[in-house]
Amino acid sequence: MVIRMYAVRFSVFLLFSLLFLDVVAQHRTVVDFNDGWYFLLDDGDHHDEKDFSSWRLLHLPHDWSIAGEFDKANPSGSGGAYLPGGMGWYGKQFTVSYDPTQIISLAFEGVYQQSEVWINGRRVGTRPNGFIGFQYDISTYVYRDGRANTVLVKVDNRAQPNARFYTGSGIYRPVSLIVKPKVHLGDPFVKTGPATHDDAILHLEVPLENMKAGKKAMLFWELIDREGNVVLGRRVAPTRRGIDGRQTVFLDSVRLKNPNLWSPDFPYLYQIRCTLTQGVEAVDVVTVNSGIRSFRFDADNGFFLNGKPTKIRGVCMHSDLGALGAAFYPQAAMRQLSMLKDMGVNAIRTSHNPTAPGFLDLCDRLGFMVMSETFDVWKLQKNPYDYHLYWDEWSERDFIDHVKRDRNHPSIFMWCLGNEAQEQWHCQALGTSIPRRLAYLVDSLDGSRPTVVANNELSSKNPILASTEVDLIGYNYNHLKWRDFPTVHPEKPLIITESVSALATRGQYDQVPVDTIRLWPSRWDIPFNGGNASKHISAYDHVRTPWGSTHEESLYLSEALPWVSGMFVWTGFDYLGEPTPYTWPARSSYFGIIDLAGFPKDVYYLYQSMWSGKPVLHLLPHWNWNSRDTVDVVAYYNQADEVELFLNGKSLGKRQKRDEQLHVSWRVAFEPGELKAIARRNAIVVQERRVRTTSKPEILSLASEQQTIHGADGLAFVRLTVTDKEGLTVPTANVHVRFTVEGDGTLLATDNGSPTDTTSFSSSERATLNGKALAIIRAVNSQGRIRVRAEADHFDPVYLDIPIQRP
Ligand code: GAL
C-alpha cells in the first residue's frame, strides 16, 4: 500500500470554508530507515551492543544467505538451494527530536525469521513469521532529547529446513520510522461495491486510533483522479463499533458516476486522501491508491471482470529475485513483471506467503490480478522446523495482519488460505475447522473477495473440498480431472491454483524423439536416477513431473473449458531451491517459463502466442548440430493459418495446428545453413523467422536492459552474449567470463540461468550458459557513470558505459 505523507500547510478554511484561519498541521512523517545499519553474523547475544566498529555497514534490504556459498552440507538442503542460514544481528543508532505527544513506531515489512527487536537494551517484541510485516510502538523506548538511541534486531534462521523453498535470511524488506500524532488514522480501506462504467459504489473504512473524549474528530476524504483532479470530497463523523464499542472508525459509502474501472489492460488508479481534523486543525493525513473494479466467479462460465468474461492467465511466483535472493529490489520485481506482461500474463499467485508490499504496488500499477496466499503450512508440518511450530500461537494474528495489510490493493482478487496443507490428507477435523476460521476472518475483515484453498488431494476424502465456507474450489494439477469438474462439484466455481510443473533448462535440447513425454521422477516418492550427466533438461516441453503436465496440455484445457476460471502455472520464473528432479549440485528450479537470470525459455513464446495480442512466430531449437543428426524443429505461432519451414531454401512442408496441439513440428535431417519459417494468413506471408548455424564463438557482447540508471541504488541488468564473428549468438557457448565494474557503481551479482551452477552469485566470474550470462549492477551515486568490462581467455575484452542520472 502506498502511503504518502504531505508535509504541507493545510489551509483549513479552503477545505471547509469555515474560518479564516491558516493552521500548520502537526502531520505524520515517514522516515526511510534503511541506511546506516551494521550487521554481524553471529550466534552470541548482542542485544545491548553499542560498539559496531567490527560489524559490517550495509543498506537494507539485505539477505545474507544469498551472498553465501552453495554447499551440499548446508542444512537448508535442496529446498533452500543449499545456501547457509544462521543467526544475524543488525544494529543502528539514531536520534529523534519529536515532541513527546507524538507516537513513534518502527515498521518492518519482512524479517526472515524469528526476529527480536531491542531498543536501548530493552526488548520491544518478537515475530517468528518471516513473511509478515509488523510495527512496534517505540514511543516509550526512545530518548527524545538528542541522545543516541540504539536498535538491535536479532534474526534467527538457524533451524533448517524451515520451508520447502528458499526464503533468504535477514531484514530483507524495507524498514521505516513513522512519527504520527497521538490521535491518528489507521490504514484506509476502500471497497468497491457494484460497479459498471456508468457508476460505482465505494465503501470507505478508516480506523481512528486513540481518539480522546471531548476532542471532536472528523474525517475529510477526497477521491483524486490520475490527473490530480479532486473528483469528490466528503466529511464523515466517527462511529463506534466492536463488541464493547471500543473501536472507532470512519465509515462512508458513495456513488461515483462514470468511474474509470481498473483492469489488467487499463490499471487505472485513483488516490484517496484522508485528512483527520480536530476542530479547525488538520492533524493527520494518509493517502492510498485505490482501484475500482467488479468481478465474479461463475460455476459454469468462469471469471468475469467488470462484466466481461476474462480468462485468468496466471503464473505462480515465489518471492526470491534470483541472484539477488530474497532482498526486495522494486526494480528487479518490475523487470520480472514487465516480462510476464509481455508474455500475456494477467494474474499472479504470490506463492506461498505474504509477498513484499512493494510487489503488490507494482501489480496495482502494472495491472495484474493477484491471488494472495498466506500459508504453505497450517498446524501439521511439512518440514521439522516450519510454521507448524508457531501455528497455535501466531496463525490468527499473522492471518489478520496479512488481510489488513493487503486488502486495499485493487490487484488482489482472491485470498488463498493455504497451499497443499497436510490437513487435506491427514486430519478431517483440522481440515474442516482451519479453513472455516480463516474464511470467517476474511469475511469480517474484507467481505469483497472470495476465498480459496490450493488442493492437490481431490478425492471426496478431502474435507476442504466439501467446505461451504470456502468460496471457490482450487485444484493444484490433476489436469485430467478438469473436464469432469461440473459433474463432481456442480455448484462451485473452479480456479486452477497451480498447474503444469514441467521441467526445462533454457537453450538445452535433446535430440529425437521429442514427441514422447518423460515423467521425471516417475512417481513423486521414487528418487530420480535418470537424466543427463549435466543435470540439464531438454526445453522442448516434453519433460514433466508425474503430478504435472506439459505446458501445452494444461494451457489447452484452461483456455478450452469454460468453467475453468483460469490457471496459475508453476512457475513464471525459475526460483531458488526445489531443483526437482535432481539434487546437488542442482540448486534451483527447472519449472520456470523464464530462467533464474531472466532469459525466456522457449515455452515463453507458446504462452505469448496464446495469451498476448502480439504476433508470434518462434522456432526451436538452434541450428548448431552435427552432420548426421536428426533434429525435431518446433514452431509456436499465432495470427496465421499455417507455417512453412525451409532448410537452405528447400521447403520441408507446411504445417497447421490440429486438435489440441498448440505447436507444429518437422523432423529434419540436419545440414548446416539456414532454417527459415514463414507464417501465412489467407495465403499472405505475415511473419518470417530465421535460425542460422553459427561459426565458432569469437566475440563477447554487452548490452544493458537500462540505457540509463536513475539515481543511487538504481539497478542495471547487463546481458552478456557470446557471438560468432557475424554477431550471431552461439547457442552452445559456455565461456568463462570475468566482469569488472568501475566508476559510480558496484557489481551486485552474476548469473547465467543454470540450475546447476554452484559458483556464488556474488562472484564476478561466471560461465555463460548456452551463450548468455547476466551481471546485475547497482549505482552508488545519484549521478555519474558506470563502466562495465567483461573479459575471457581468447576473447577481446569488451566495455559498456551506463550513465546515472538523478531521478
Ligand atoms: C506443488 C507445490 C509447489 C511446488 C510444486 C513443484 O505441489 O505446491 O510449492 O513444490 O509442487 O512441482
Side-chain angles (χ1 to χ4, degrees), residues 677-731:
I678 287 180
R680 296 191 187 85
R681 187 170 60 235
N682 299 328
I684 295 168
V685 175
V686 285
Q687 286 187 73
E688 192 179 301
R689 280 286 167 277
R690 292 160 195 263
V691 180
R692 278 163 56 194
T693 310
T694 73
S695 53
K696 64 182 184 3
E698 277 186 58
I699 298 170
L700 302 181
S701 146
L702 284 176
S704 173
E705 291 176 14
Q706 290 70 26
Q707 300 310 310
T708 306
I709 299 184
H710 295 286
D713 299 335
L715 303 184
F717 292 85
V718 176
R719 297 171 173 218
L720 178 133
T721 317
V722 181
T723 75
D724 68 3
K725 59 181 181 306
E726 286 177 60
L728 295 174
T729 302
V730 181

Side-chain angles (χ1 to χ4, degrees), residues 266-304:
F266 186 61
Y268 192 99
L269 293 179
Y270 289 93
Q271 285 195 324
I272 306 270
R273 182 161 65 212
C274 297
T275 306
L276 175 69
T277 62
Q278 285 192 302
V280 293
E281 221 186 326
V283 290
D284 192 16
V285 184
V286 181
T287 304
V288 293
N289 284 334
S290 177
I292 302 172
R293 74 279 180 283
S294 73
F295 61 93
R296 70 188 165 90
F297 288 85
D298 181 276
D300 301 320
N301 298 305
F303 178 70
F304 290 75

